[in-house]
Amino acid sequence: MAVCEGEGVLRLKRETMAIPMLRAAMISHSQSQPLIHSISAIYETAKRRKRVVFSSSSSSELNPVIRSEVSFCVGTCLIPHPKKVNTGGEDAFFVSNYNGGVIAVADGVSGWAEEDVDPSLFPRELLANASNFVGDEEVNYDPQILIRKAHAATFSTGSATVIVAMLEKNGTLKIANVGDCGLRLIRNGHVVFSTSPQEHYFDCPFQLSSERVGQTYLDAAVCNVELIQGDTIVMGSDGLFDNVFDHEIVPTIVRYKDVAEAAKALANLASSHAMDSNFDSPYSLEARSRGFEPPLWKKILGMKLTGGKLDDITVIVGQIVSS
């Protein structure tokens, strides 16, 4: 089995793609209960902290001003890996209307299947626990502490990457990320903020694990971003960002007023690219930059390494609205 480090603990997330199963859901900010989703089931401090505030030297569109209370209006879509349709895949997510809104995605590491461990159990339990702790006094609406408490309460064997974003009603979005799930902020038709993936090396991301060797909440990349009404947040597993470029996300989003439809469209686009062996995807570009080469027959024909990455695809689209 291929492992990153720690003797069978940190694992490659190598995935390989076909008939997608689609499911979308609309969760408005007025919903009273959190939603935890893995398509097959529904389940009931700061290191490297930085604050992202757009400076006055930037264009006016990047300067948040005093504003009314805001919250999320959210649409979601999950398409499992074609070979995992029957089990629902190994991604999980949850959405809560607590405070201004909470969104999270976790991606189970598939390498555990080689040891007869269901890779979906760890991320599902992790986010179920996170949902339970959202309003916890000790968490104090801090996503990094939420990850700590959720991880400590998770007893399933496995590992997962995870990203959590918690919106204050004053417009401050608090983000904590371990691994290669990601988030984009779209304002006035432009991506103005994005998270960066954390990895040991190519295709081996940081991950929370059931084992001792692994990352913890202290390894999370943490930041705050100031949002304004009309902003759009796109959160997803690497199945989205490995297959869809940022310059494709914006025109896809702006075509839809309904966030559920926008999420579905992004997931469909990622699925289409993932199954296209000729598409020069973000994943194939990164692979080439790391020195990976195409199969011998492609090299003989003078072809380069191309193609999307077959994977579970989770998309959450959150529009910032006045409460």
Side-chain angles (χ1 to χ4, degrees):
M1 171 181 296
V3 298
C4 298
E5 63 183 42
E7 195 61 34
V9 175
L10 302 181
R11 302 169 190 275
L12 289 175
K13 292 180 63 185
R14 187 170 292 140
E15 303 281 354
T16 50
M17 189 157 208
I19 302 173
M21 184 171 85
L22 202 31
R23 182 168 175 178
M26 174 67 186
I27 305 93
S28 74
H29 61 283
S30 62
Q31 184 171 345
S32 61
Q33 297 295 326
L35 175 123
I36 309 163
H37 185 79
S38 62
I39 210 168
S40 61
I42 296 179
Y43 295 77
E44 286 264 299
T45 81
K47 179 181 180 182
R48 296 192 305 277
R49 182 178 294 274
K50 57 184 179 180
R51 185 174 182 83
V52 179
V53 180
F54 303 120
S55 69
S56 58
S57 61
S58 303
S59 62
S60 60
E61 71 180 23
L62 302 184
N63 291 315
V65 295
I66 296 174
R67 54 203 178 277
S68 61
E69 290 188 348
V70 296
S71 57
F72 275 132
C73 182
V74 177
T76 65
C77 186
L78 191 158
I79 303 178
H81 187 296
K83 293 183 178 180
K84 303 171 185 177
V85 170
N86 291 336
T87 60
E90 294 150 8
D91 281 2
F93 69 83
F94 90 83
V95 172
S96 169
N97 75 323
Y98 188 85
N99 203 335
V102 183
I103 55 177
V105 173
D107 182 356
V109 177
S110 60
W112 284 98
E114 298 178 27
E115 294 187 4
D116 295 324
V117 173
D118 183 348
S120 70
L121 298 181
F122 185 90
R124 292 176 186 176
E125 184 182 357
L126 179 72
L127 290 195
N129 291 330
S131 174
N132 291 334
F133 286 123
V134 160
D136 184 81
E137 183 177 352
E138 184 181 353
V139 170
N140 195 28
Y141 215 62
D142 183 328
Q144 190 176 30
I145 304 304
L146 182 61
I147 288 174
R148 175 178 69 80
K149 296 203 68 170
H151 188 195
T154 300
F155 297 102
S156 295
T157 300
S159 55
T161 63
V162 63
I163 185 168
V164 179
M166 308 180 82
L167 179 64
E168 298 274 13
K169 289 185 177 181
N170 66 4
T172 299
L173 184 68
K174 302 175 178 180
I175 305 164
N177 180 45
V178 179
D180 57 3
C181 293
L183 179 147
R184 305 290 187 268
L185 164 59
I186 299 170
R187 178 174 296 164
N188 294 336
H190 301 281
V191 175
V192 296
F193 170 80
S194 62
T195 57
S196 298
Q198 300 171 301
E199 60 179 12
H200 299 279
Y201 52 81
F202 182 68
D203 230 12
C204 185
F206 282 22
Q207 56 202 256
L208 302 179
S209 176
S210 58
E211 311 303 313
R212 289 187 177 182
V213 177
Q215 279 65 62
T216 73
Y217 75 102
L218 292 173
D219 297 295
V222 181
C223 63
N224 292 349
V225 183
E226 299 301 321
L227 305 184
I228 57 175
Q229 185 176 345
D231 285 349
T232 299
I233 294 295
V234 176
M235 177 184 283
S237 60
D238 64 330
L240 171 64
F241 298 110
D242 280 343
N243 291 299
V244 179
F245 291 97
D246 284 1
H247 69 257
E248 297 177 291
I249 291 177
V250 174
T252 302
I253 290 295
V254 299
R255 288 202 301 267
Y256 300 92
K257 293 183 178 179
D258 187 316
V259 285
E261 290 300 316
K264 184 192 300 185
L266 273 180
N268 278 331
L269 179 62
S271 179
S272 175
H273 285 341
M275 292 185 281
D276 185 351
S277 61
N278 294 316
F279 178 63
D280 208 6
S281 66
Y283 183 77
S284 61
L285 284 173
E286 182 67 16
R288 292 203 306 272
S289 74
R290 303 292 186 93
F292 287 83
E293 297 183 348
L296 181 59
W297 67 269
K298 278 194 170 185
K299 292 182 68 174
I300 293 174
L301 295 175
M303 300 171 66
K304 64 182 180 180
L305 182 65
T306 59
K309 179 189 177 186
L310 281 167
D311 202 349
D312 300 323
I313 299 164
T314 297
V315 180
I316 299 178
V317 175
Q319 188 175 27
I320 309 306
V321 298
S322 178
S323 295

mmCIF file of all heavy atoms in Angstrom, residues 162-201:
data_model
loop_
_atom_site.group_PDB
_atom_site.id
_atom_site.type_symbol
_atom_site.label_atom_id
_atom_site.label_comp_id
_atom_site.label_asym_id
_atom_site.label_seq_id
_atom_site.Cartn_x
_atom_site.Cartn_y
_atom_site.Cartn_z
ATOM 1 N N VAL A 162 -10.439 18.033 5.847
ATOM 2 C CA VAL A 162 -11.648 18.721 6.292
ATOM 3 C C VAL A 162 -11.476 20.232 6.198
ATOM 4 O O VAL A 162 -10.376 20.759 6.391
ATOM 5 C CB VAL A 162 -11.998 18.321 7.752
ATOM 6 C CG1 VAL A 162 -10.899 18.744 8.720
ATOM 7 C CG2 VAL A 162 -13.343 18.894 8.187
ATOM 8 N N ILE A 163 -12.561 20.913 5.871
ATOM 9 C CA ILE A 163 -12.595 22.369 5.916
ATOM 10 C C ILE A 163 -13.896 22.788 6.583
ATOM 11 O O ILE A 163 -14.955 22.205 6.335
ATOM 12 C CB ILE A 163 -12.470 22.997 4.508
ATOM 13 C CG1 ILE A 163 -12.376 24.527 4.612
ATOM 14 C CG2 ILE A 163 -13.604 22.572 3.585
ATOM 15 C CD1 ILE A 163 -11.970 25.202 3.311
ATOM 16 N N VAL A 164 -13.798 23.786 7.466
ATOM 17 C CA VAL A 164 -14.959 24.320 8.182
ATOM 18 C C VAL A 164 -14.954 25.838 8.044
ATOM 19 O O VAL A 164 -13.911 26.486 8.221
ATOM 20 C CB VAL A 164 -14.926 23.947 9.681
ATOM 21 C CG1 VAL A 164 -16.136 24.540 10.400
ATOM 22 C CG2 VAL A 164 -14.885 22.436 9.868
ATOM 23 N N ALA A 165 -16.110 26.419 7.740
ATOM 24 C CA ALA A 165 -16.249 27.876 7.682
ATOM 25 C C ALA A 165 -17.454 28.287 8.513
ATOM 26 O O ALA A 165 -18.552 27.733 8.354
ATOM 27 C CB ALA A 165 -16.412 28.347 6.242
ATOM 28 N N MET A 166 -17.248 29.256 9.411
ATOM 29 C CA MET A 166 -18.298 29.709 10.322
ATOM 30 C C MET A 166 -18.509 31.209 10.117
ATOM 31 O O MET A 166 -17.573 32.001 10.265
ATOM 32 C CB MET A 166 -17.900 29.409 11.771
ATOM 33 C CG MET A 166 -17.492 27.951 11.987
ATOM 34 S SD MET A 166 -16.994 27.537 13.693
ATOM 35 C CE MET A 166 -18.612 27.299 14.446
ATOM 36 N N LEU A 167 -19.722 31.587 9.763
ATOM 37 C CA LEU A 167 -20.035 32.984 9.448
ATOM 38 C C LEU A 167 -20.633 33.690 10.648
ATOM 39 O O LEU A 167 -21.645 33.261 11.201
ATOM 40 C CB LEU A 167 -21.009 33.043 8.273
ATOM 41 C CG LEU A 167 -21.465 34.451 7.834
ATOM 42 C CD1 LEU A 167 -20.284 35.274 7.323
ATOM 43 C CD2 LEU A 167 -22.546 34.337 6.753
ATOM 44 N N GLU A 168 -19.988 34.783 11.071
ATOM 45 C CA GLU A 168 -20.575 35.669 12.074
ATOM 46 C C GLU A 168 -21.621 36.553 11.404
ATOM 47 O O GLU A 168 -21.496 36.896 10.221
ATOM 48 C CB GLU A 168 -19.486 36.547 12.698
ATOM 49 C CG GLU A 168 -18.395 35.791 13.445
ATOM 50 C CD GLU A 168 -18.779 35.514 14.892
ATOM 51 O OE1 GLU A 168 -19.963 35.688 15.229
ATOM 52 O OE2 GLU A 168 -17.885 35.124 15.664
ATOM 53 N N LYS A 169 -22.618 36.963 12.153
ATOM 54 C CA LYS A 169 -23.655 37.805 11.567
ATOM 55 C C LYS A 169 -23.130 39.173 11.153
ATOM 56 O O LYS A 169 -23.757 39.862 10.345
ATOM 57 C CB LYS A 169 -24.816 37.951 12.551
ATOM 58 C CG LYS A 169 -25.621 36.667 12.705
ATOM 59 C CD LYS A 169 -26.832 36.859 13.592
ATOM 60 C CE LYS A 169 -27.651 35.577 13.676
ATOM 61 N NZ LYS A 169 -28.857 35.730 14.525
ATOM 62 N N ASN A 170 -21.947 39.560 11.680
ATOM 63 C CA ASN A 170 -21.361 40.843 11.267
ATOM 64 C C ASN A 170 -20.595 40.731 9.958
ATOM 65 O O ASN A 170 -20.023 41.710 9.475
ATOM 66 C CB ASN A 170 -20.452 41.395 12.365
ATOM 67 C CG ASN A 170 -19.220 40.531 12.606
ATOM 68 O OD1 ASN A 170 -18.978 39.544 11.910
ATOM 69 N ND2 ASN A 170 -18.412 40.896 13.599
ATOM 70 N N GLY A 171 -20.549 39.528 9.353
ATOM 71 C CA GLY A 171 -19.904 39.344 8.066
ATOM 72 C C GLY A 171 -18.525 38.718 8.115
ATOM 73 O O GLY A 171 -17.919 38.489 7.073
ATOM 74 N N THR A 172 -18.004 38.427 9.297
ATOM 75 C CA THR A 172 -16.695 37.782 9.400
ATOM 76 C C THR A 172 -16.844 36.279 9.185
ATOM 77 O O THR A 172 -17.588 35.611 9.912
ATOM 78 C CB THR A 172 -16.053 38.039 10.774
ATOM 79 O OG1 THR A 172 -15.872 39.436 10.956
ATOM 80 C CG2 THR A 172 -14.696 37.342 10.874
ATOM 81 N N LEU A 173 -16.139 35.754 8.199
ATOM 82 C CA LEU A 173 -16.129 34.320 7.931
ATOM 83 C C LEU A 173 -14.838 33.735 8.488
ATOM 84 O O LEU A 173 -13.747 34.115 8.077
ATOM 85 C CB LEU A 173 -16.210 34.039 6.432
ATOM 86 C CG LEU A 173 -16.305 32.560 6.035
ATOM 87 C CD1 LEU A 173 -17.647 31.966 6.474
ATOM 88 C CD2 LEU A 173 -16.114 32.388 4.529
ATOM 89 N N LYS A 174 -14.976 32.804 9.431
ATOM 90 C CA LYS A 174 -13.827 32.154 10.054
ATOM 91 C C LYS A 174 -13.623 30.789 9.396
ATOM 92 O O LYS A 174 -14.554 29.978 9.349
ATOM 93 C CB LYS A 174 -14.066 31.987 11.556
ATOM 94 C CG LYS A 174 -14.340 33.295 12.291
ATOM 95 C CD LYS A 174 -14.683 33.021 13.753
ATOM 96 C CE LYS A 174 -14.921 34.298 14.525
ATOM 97 N NZ LYS A 174 -15.251 34.018 15.953
ATOM 98 N N ILE A 175 -12.403 30.544 8.939
ATOM 99 C CA ILE A 175 -12.118 29.337 8.173
ATOM 100 C C ILE A 175 -10.975 28.566 8.810
ATOM 101 O O ILE A 175 -9.971 29.147 9.222
ATOM 102 C CB ILE A 175 -11.715 29.697 6.716
ATOM 103 C CG1 ILE A 175 -12.781 30.572 6.046
ATOM 104 C CG2 ILE A 175 -11.469 28.427 5.890
ATOM 105 C CD1 ILE A 175 -12.289 31.263 4.795
ATOM 106 N N ALA A 176 -11.135 27.245 8.904
ATOM 107 C CA ALA A 176 -10.049 26.358 9.317
ATOM 108 C C ALA A 176 -10.018 25.186 8.339
ATOM 109 O O ALA A 176 -11.062 24.593 8.042
ATOM 110 C CB ALA A 176 -10.233 25.869 10.747
ATOM 111 N N ASN A 177 -8.821 24.852 7.846
ATOM 112 C CA ASN A 177 -8.697 23.856 6.789
ATOM 113 C C ASN A 177 -7.509 22.941 7.061
ATOM 114 O O ASN A 177 -6.404 23.412 7.339
ATOM 115 C CB ASN A 177 -8.509 24.567 5.439
ATOM 116 C CG ASN A 177 -8.372 23.593 4.286
ATOM 117 O OD1 ASN A 177 -9.125 22.637 4.191
ATOM 118 N ND2 ASN A 177 -7.406 23.834 3.412
ATOM 119 N N VAL A 178 -7.759 21.633 6.993
ATOM 120 C CA VAL A 178 -6.690 20.644 7.083
ATOM 121 C C VAL A 178 -6.736 19.807 5.803
ATOM 122 O O VAL A 178 -7.677 19.034 5.604
ATOM 123 C CB VAL A 178 -6.845 19.729 8.314
ATOM 124 C CG1 VAL A 178 -5.722 18.684 8.348
ATOM 125 C CG2 VAL A 178 -6.846 20.541 9.600
ATOM 126 N N GLY A 179 -5.753 19.981 4.930
ATOM 127 C CA GLY A 179 -5.704 19.177 3.710
ATOM 128 C C GLY A 179 -6.067 19.940 2.456
ATOM 129 O O GLY A 179 -5.775 21.129 2.327
ATOM 130 N N ASP A 180 -6.754 19.256 1.528
ATOM 131 C CA ASP A 180 -6.959 19.828 0.206
ATOM 132 C C ASP A 180 -8.419 20.050 -0.178
ATOM 133 O O ASP A 180 -8.720 20.229 -1.364
ATOM 134 C CB ASP A 180 -6.261 18.981 -0.863
ATOM 135 C CG ASP A 180 -6.726 17.526 -0.879
ATOM 136 O OD1 ASP A 180 -7.642 17.183 -0.096
ATOM 137 O OD2 ASP A 180 -6.186 16.743 -1.669
ATOM 138 N N CYS A 181 -9.345 20.032 0.792
ATOM 139 C CA CYS A 181 -10.642 20.631 0.501
ATOM 140 C C CYS A 181 -10.410 22.132 0.364
ATOM 141 O O CYS A 181 -9.389 22.647 0.833
ATOM 142 C CB CYS A 181 -11.638 20.345 1.624
ATOM 143 S SG CYS A 181 -12.119 18.608 1.790
ATOM 144 N N GLY A 182 -11.315 22.848 -0.267
ATOM 145 C CA GLY A 182 -11.011 24.252 -0.518
ATOM 146 C C GLY A 182 -12.221 25.154 -0.475
ATOM 147 O O GLY A 182 -13.371 24.713 -0.359
ATOM 148 N N LEU A 183 -11.937 26.458 -0.575
ATOM 149 C CA LEU A 183 -12.973 27.486 -0.541
ATOM 150 C C LEU A 183 -12.554 28.645 -1.428
ATOM 151 O O LEU A 183 -11.389 29.028 -1.458
ATOM 152 C CB LEU A 183 -13.194 27.953 0.900
ATOM 153 C CG LEU A 183 -14.231 29.049 1.161
ATOM 154 C CD1 LEU A 183 -14.887 28.833 2.528
ATOM 155 C CD2 LEU A 183 -13.611 30.449 1.119
ATOM 156 N N ARG A 184 -13.526 29.187 -2.152
ATOM 157 C CA ARG A 184 -13.322 30.380 -2.971
ATOM 158 C C ARG A 184 -14.352 31.428 -2.585
ATOM 159 O O ARG A 184 -15.510 31.102 -2.336
ATOM 160 C CB ARG A 184 -13.460 30.060 -4.468
ATOM 161 C CG ARG A 184 -12.556 28.945 -4.977
ATOM 162 C CD ARG A 184 -11.096 29.369 -5.008
ATOM 163 N NE ARG A 184 -10.264 28.358 -5.635
ATOM 164 C CZ ARG A 184 -9.642 27.378 -4.984
ATOM 165 N NH1 ARG A 184 -9.780 27.280 -3.662
ATOM 166 N NH2 ARG A 184 -8.897 26.493 -5.624
ATOM 167 N N LEU A 185 -13.921 32.694 -2.566
ATOM 168 C CA LEU A 185 -14.824 33.820 -2.364
ATOM 169 C C LEU A 185 -14.950 34.567 -3.682
ATOM 170 O O LEU A 185 -13.946 35.012 -4.246
ATOM 171 C CB LEU A 185 -14.294 34.751 -1.275
ATOM 172 C CG LEU A 185 -14.912 36.160 -1.189
ATOM 173 C CD1 LEU A 185 -16.423 36.081 -0.967
ATOM 174 C CD2 LEU A 185 -14.240 36.977 -0.094
ATOM 175 N N ILE A 186 -16.186 34.694 -4.151
ATOM 176 C CA ILE A 186 -16.457 35.390 -5.417
ATOM 177 C C ILE A 186 -17.185 36.686 -5.100
ATOM 178 O O ILE A 186 -18.209 36.689 -4.408
ATOM 179 C CB ILE A 186 -17.301 34.516 -6.357
ATOM 180 C CG1 ILE A 186 -16.547 33.219 -6.683
ATOM 181 C CG2 ILE A 186 -17.642 35.274 -7.634
ATOM 182 C CD1 ILE A 186 -17.387 32.191 -7.408
ATOM 183 N N ARG A 187 -16.628 37.777 -5.600
ATOM 184 C CA ARG A 187 -17.235 39.103 -5.398
ATOM 185 C C ARG A 187 -17.207 39.868 -6.711
ATOM 186 O O ARG A 187 -16.155 40.007 -7.342
ATOM 187 C CB ARG A 187 -16.482 39.882 -4.320
ATOM 188 C CG ARG A 187 -17.007 41.300 -4.083
ATOM 189 C CD ARG A 187 -16.308 41.956 -2.909
ATOM 190 N NE ARG A 187 -16.595 41.234 -1.663
ATOM 191 C CZ ARG A 187 -15.887 41.405 -0.555
ATOM 192 N NH1 ARG A 187 -14.863 42.238 -0.528
ATOM 193 N NH2 ARG A 187 -16.214 40.722 0.537
ATOM 194 N N ASN A 188 -18.362 40.348 -7.132
ATOM 195 C CA ASN A 188 -18.480 41.140 -8.364
ATOM 196 C C ASN A 188 -17.840 40.425 -9.559
ATOM 197 O O ASN A 188 -17.154 41.038 -10.379
ATOM 198 C CB ASN A 188 -17.848 42.518 -8.184
ATOM 199 C CG ASN A 188 -18.585 43.368 -7.177
ATOM 200 O OD1 ASN A 188 -19.781 43.162 -6.921
ATOM 201 N ND2 ASN A 188 -17.889 44.320 -6.574
ATOM 202 N N GLY A 189 -18.058 39.116 -9.633
ATOM 203 C CA GLY A 189 -17.603 38.361 -10.795
ATOM 204 C C GLY A 189 -16.147 37.965 -10.779
ATOM 205 O O GLY A 189 -15.615 37.554 -11.813
ATOM 206 N N HIS A 190 -15.481 38.070 -9.634
ATOM 207 C CA HIS A 190 -14.067 37.718 -9.553
ATOM 208 C C HIS A 190 -13.803 36.877 -8.305
ATOM 209 O O HIS A 190 -14.429 37.083 -7.257
ATOM 210 C CB HIS A 190 -13.185 38.976 -9.495
ATOM 211 C CG HIS A 190 -13.352 39.887 -10.670
ATOM 212 N ND1 HIS A 190 -12.769 39.651 -11.900
ATOM 213 C CD2 HIS A 190 -14.056 41.045 -10.799
ATOM 214 C CE1 HIS A 190 -13.090 40.621 -12.737
ATOM 215 N NE2 HIS A 190 -13.876 41.482 -12.092
ATOM 216 N N VAL A 191 -12.868 35.931 -8.430
ATOM 217 C CA VAL A 191 -12.392 35.208 -7.257
ATOM 218 C C VAL A 191 -11.408 36.122 -6.539
ATOM 219 O O VAL A 191 -10.334 36.430 -7.061
ATOM 220 C CB VAL A 191 -11.713 33.877 -7.633
ATOM 221 C CG1 VAL A 191 -11.127 33.201 -6.389
ATOM 222 C CG2 VAL A 191 -12.701 32.937 -8.317
ATOM 223 N N VAL A 192 -11.764 36.566 -5.340
ATOM 224 C CA VAL A 192 -10.933 37.531 -4.612
ATOM 225 C C VAL A 192 -10.226 36.900 -3.413
ATOM 226 O O VAL A 192 -9.402 37.548 -2.767
ATOM 227 C CB VAL A 192 -11.761 38.752 -4.154
ATOM 228 C CG1 VAL A 192 -12.290 39.520 -5.362
ATOM 229 C CG2 VAL A 192 -12.909 38.342 -3.235
ATOM 230 N N PHE A 193 -10.569 35.664 -3.111
ATOM 231 C CA PHE A 193 -9.877 34.956 -2.042
ATOM 232 C C PHE A 193 -10.003 33.458 -2.284
ATOM 233 O O PHE A 193 -11.039 32.979 -2.744
ATOM 234 C CB PHE A 193 -10.476 35.290 -0.670
ATOM 235 C CG PHE A 193 -9.952 34.411 0.439
ATOM 236 C CD1 PHE A 193 -8.721 34.667 1.016
ATOM 237 C CD2 PHE A 193 -10.677 33.309 0.885
ATOM 238 C CE1 PHE A 193 -8.218 33.845 2.023
ATOM 239 C CE2 PHE A 193 -10.194 32.496 1.887
ATOM 240 C CZ PHE A 193 -8.960 32.759 2.460
ATOM 241 N N SER A 194 -8.940 32.719 -1.988
ATOM 242 C CA SER A 194 -8.996 31.261 -2.071
ATOM 243 C C SER A 194 -8.081 30.661 -1.009
ATOM 244 O O SER A 194 -7.056 31.238 -0.650
ATOM 245 C CB SER A 194 -8.577 30.763 -3.461
ATOM 246 O OG SER A 194 -7.238 31.118 -3.743
ATOM 247 N N THR A 195 -8.472 29.512 -0.492
ATOM 248 C CA THR A 195 -7.609 28.773 0.421
ATOM 249 C C THR A 195 -6.549 28.036 -0.387
ATOM 250 O O THR A 195 -6.688 27.846 -1.601
ATOM 251 C CB THR A 195 -8.415 27.767 1.244
ATOM 252 O OG1 THR A 195 -9.105 26.873 0.350
ATOM 253 C CG2 THR A 195 -9.418 28.472 2.135
ATOM 254 N N SER A 196 -5.498 27.612 0.283
ATOM 255 C CA SER A 196 -4.426 26.851 -0.367
ATOM 256 C C SER A 196 -4.387 25.446 0.209
ATOM 257 O O SER A 196 -4.526 25.267 1.422
ATOM 258 C CB SER A 196 -3.067 27.534 -0.151
ATOM 259 O OG SER A 196 -3.052 28.821 -0.734
ATOM 260 N N PRO A 197 -4.185 24.434 -0.643
ATOM 261 C CA PRO A 197 -4.122 23.061 -0.136
ATOM 262 C C PRO A 197 -2.860 22.818 0.683
ATOM 263 O O PRO A 197 -1.822 23.436 0.441
ATOM 264 C CB PRO A 197 -4.122 22.201 -1.412
ATOM 265 C CG PRO A 197 -3.594 23.114 -2.478
ATOM 266 C CD PRO A 197 -4.056 24.493 -2.115
ATOM 267 N N GLN A 198 -2.969 21.939 1.652
ATOM 268 C CA GLN A 198 -1.832 21.521 2.461
ATOM 269 C C GLN A 198 -1.507 20.071 2.098
ATOM 270 O O GLN A 198 -2.404 19.230 2.052
ATOM 271 C CB GLN A 198 -2.169 21.581 3.951
ATOM 272 C CG GLN A 198 -2.551 22.945 4.478
ATOM 273 C CD GLN A 198 -3.083 22.825 5.905
ATOM 274 O OE1 GLN A 198 -4.052 22.127 6.151
ATOM 275 N NE2 GLN A 198 -2.432 23.498 6.829
ATOM 276 N N GLU A 199 -0.248 19.786 1.840
ATOM 277 C CA GLU A 199 0.110 18.427 1.452
ATOM 278 C C GLU A 199 1.525 18.071 1.886
ATOM 279 O O GLU A 199 2.372 18.946 2.063
ATOM 280 C CB GLU A 199 -0.022 18.251 -0.059
ATOM 281 C CG GLU A 199 0.857 19.176 -0.870
ATOM 282 C CD GLU A 199 0.697 18.952 -2.366
ATOM 283 O OE1 GLU A 199 -0.241 18.260 -2.783
ATOM 284 O OE2 GLU A 199 1.539 19.477 -3.120
ATOM 285 N N HIS A 200 1.741 16.774 2.077
ATOM 286 C CA HIS A 200 3.086 16.263 2.335
ATOM 287 C C HIS A 200 3.861 16.199 1.016
ATOM 288 O O HIS A 200 5.024 16.563 0.951
ATOM 289 C CB HIS A 200 3.012 14.874 2.962
ATOM 290 C CG HIS A 200 2.301 14.870 4.282
ATOM 291 N ND1 HIS A 200 2.910 15.229 5.457
ATOM 292 C CD2 HIS A 200 1.020 14.563 4.603
ATOM 293 C CE1 HIS A 200 2.043 15.135 6.454
ATOM 294 N NE2 HIS A 200 0.896 14.736 5.962
ATOM 295 N N TYR A 201 3.191 15.736 -0.004
ATOM 296 C CA TYR A 201 3.693 15.752 -1.380
ATOM 297 C C TYR A 201 2.503 15.503 -2.287
ATOM 298 O O TYR A 201 1.375 15.349 -1.808
ATOM 299 C CB TYR A 201 4.813 14.720 -1.600
ATOM 300 C CG TYR A 201 4.504 13.316 -1.169
ATOM 301 C CD1 TYR A 201 3.760 12.453 -1.971
ATOM 302 C CD2 TYR A 201 4.951 12.827 0.057
ATOM 303 C CE1 TYR A 201 3.480 11.161 -1.586
ATOM 304 C CE2 TYR A 201 4.677 11.536 0.461
ATOM 305 C CZ TYR A 201 3.937 10.701 -0.373
ATOM 306 O OH TYR A 201 3.664 9.420 0.024
#
